[in-house]
Amino acid sequence: MRFVVMSDTHFYVEDKVKHSIFWNRSLPGRGDEIARNIVDSIKEKQPDFVIHCGDLIDRGYKECFEFAKAIMDDISVPWFMVPGNHDTLEPITRHDISSLYGLPLEQNYYSKDIGPIHFIFLDTCYMLAADGRILPCRDENLKKQGLLKGFIVPPEELKWLKQELEANKNKNVIIVSHLPLKYKNIYPVSTLPDGTAIESGKGCSPKLFTDALGIHLINENEVTSLFKGYINIKAVFSGHWHLNDVYKEDGIVYCQTCSLREYPFEFRVIDLIEGASGKYLEVTTHPLLNSEFAQESYVEDRNNSWIKGSPEDRTFTISL
């Protein structure tokens, strides 16, 4: 069994996007070309299915989702996604995701058995308002007033997750989320995405940036506390921070995958291997066929090439 993990494609139609520099620059006017190359690059790997870790589209417009769906369908294998913070800017995208998987309206969390693995797809992109309301999408008026606290996994989803883990405790489990659930304390950050320079030789965490913008998961500890005692949880695949990273805790591999909108334009290929010592997943990291995108996207004076990840962040195994 082989599958691909990809993230943060931010697919868009040209008049429905705001281009910017994050870690590195996006490439205005090349969206269609990049999308085509993503399809060709993934098809070349011949996966059985694809997992998308969210931010499928850049803005929650119907046109963007229809464009993105056509691109993903063109890979010609089943694909499964979780919502990202960009996907949930408008209610219509939540409806579209629900309809993709036959879910109740606006519910974007679900699970699926594929081969020897039970996949749990979490929705980490509900928003918590200052008055305690949990919103399915961003309220622009509340945002302007500073009354959005961040993202949250709602109580009913936590209850569902607990039931899922208990019902599948004898299976290998992989969890997929957009927002990272655990991560390193320190990264070799040179310049944060907002352009803030970091003292030379010092590191920090992108969490400073996500917390400041209110795009962090408020109850991440509450979510991961449910994992305790379930040694069958093998990995959590996430996106959101636009970097390649691996962090291990309590036997679980927390893997972030970089964005396919900016440097280094890479995705993961995961192969199920059955060897003499048992089954394991081999994870490798691959660039798009066209290396020109990464070269053009990289902003040299920001010195953020580290988001590509160390060798250990790029190739590793997960025991089953």
Side-chain angles (χ1 to χ4, degrees), residues 114-317:
I114 309 176
I117 300 171
H118 184 71
F119 287 91
I120 296 176
F121 298 90
L122 291 182
D123 183 347
T124 55
C125 289
Y126 288 89
M127 298 218 76
L128 180 65
D131 60 8
R133 286 181 296 151
I134 295 177
L135 309 174
C137 299
R138 189 169 80 182
D139 184 304
E140 290 298 328
N141 289 328
L142 293 179
K143 180 179 182 294
K144 289 174 183 177
Q145 298 174 62
L147 297 177
L148 293 177
K149 298 300 184 182
F151 292 102
I152 189 169
V153 176
E156 61 269 24
E157 185 178 348
L158 289 173
K159 180 180 178 181
W160 172 85
L161 174 59
K162 187 175 181 179
Q163 293 169 344
E164 276 289 307
L165 293 175
E166 186 61 23
N168 295 281
K169 60 186 177 183
N170 295 320
K171 299 177 182 177
N172 294 305
V173 168
I174 288 179
I175 295 170
V176 183
S177 67
H178 181 60
L179 275 64
L181 301 182
K182 281 190 180 290
Y183 34 81
K184 301 182 181 98
N185 290 325
I186 298 293
Y187 292 84
V189 182
S190 301
T191 306
L192 285 169
D194 63 355
T196 302
I198 304 301
E199 184 181 348
S200 178
K202 302 291 184 180
C204 74
S205 173
K207 190 175 186 299
L208 295 174
F209 175 75
T210 59
D211 285 6
L213 283 184
I215 55 174
H216 61 297
L217 185 60
I218 294 169
N219 63 340
E220 60 188 30
N221 290 334
E222 187 177 4
V223 176
T224 55
S225 69
L226 297 179
F227 300 168
K228 294 189 181 301
Y230 292 102
I231 61 173
N232 59 313
I233 302 175
K234 302 302 180 179
V236 178
F237 286 101
S238 304
H240 190 50
W241 283 6
H242 289 209
L243 54 87
N244 291 325
D245 182 55
V246 173
Y247 173 74
K248 298 178 182 179
E249 185 174 309
D250 296 331
I252 301 174
V253 176
Y254 293 86
C255 174
Q256 294 183 53
T257 298
C258 69
S259 170
L260 281 168
R261 190 192 181 189
E262 65 168 315
Y263 174 92
F265 283 100
E266 293 179 333
F267 57 93
R268 311 276 196 178
V269 173
I270 295 90
D271 287 299
L272 173 64
I273 308 294
E274 296 190 38
S277 58
K279 294 180 182 179
Y280 62 93
L281 298 176
E282 182 178 69
V283 183
T284 52
T285 306
H286 301 263
L288 296 185
L289 292 171
N290 187 348
S291 61
E292 185 181 304
F293 301 128
Q295 294 166 7
E296 186 178 336
S297 173
Y298 181 57
V299 181
E300 188 170 359
D301 61 4
R302 283 189 162 219
N303 197 27
N304 281 330
S305 61
W306 66 272
I307 65 170
K308 193 171 183 176
S310 67
E312 295 77 18
D313 296 323
R314 300 176 57 76
T315 302
F316 56 95
T317 60

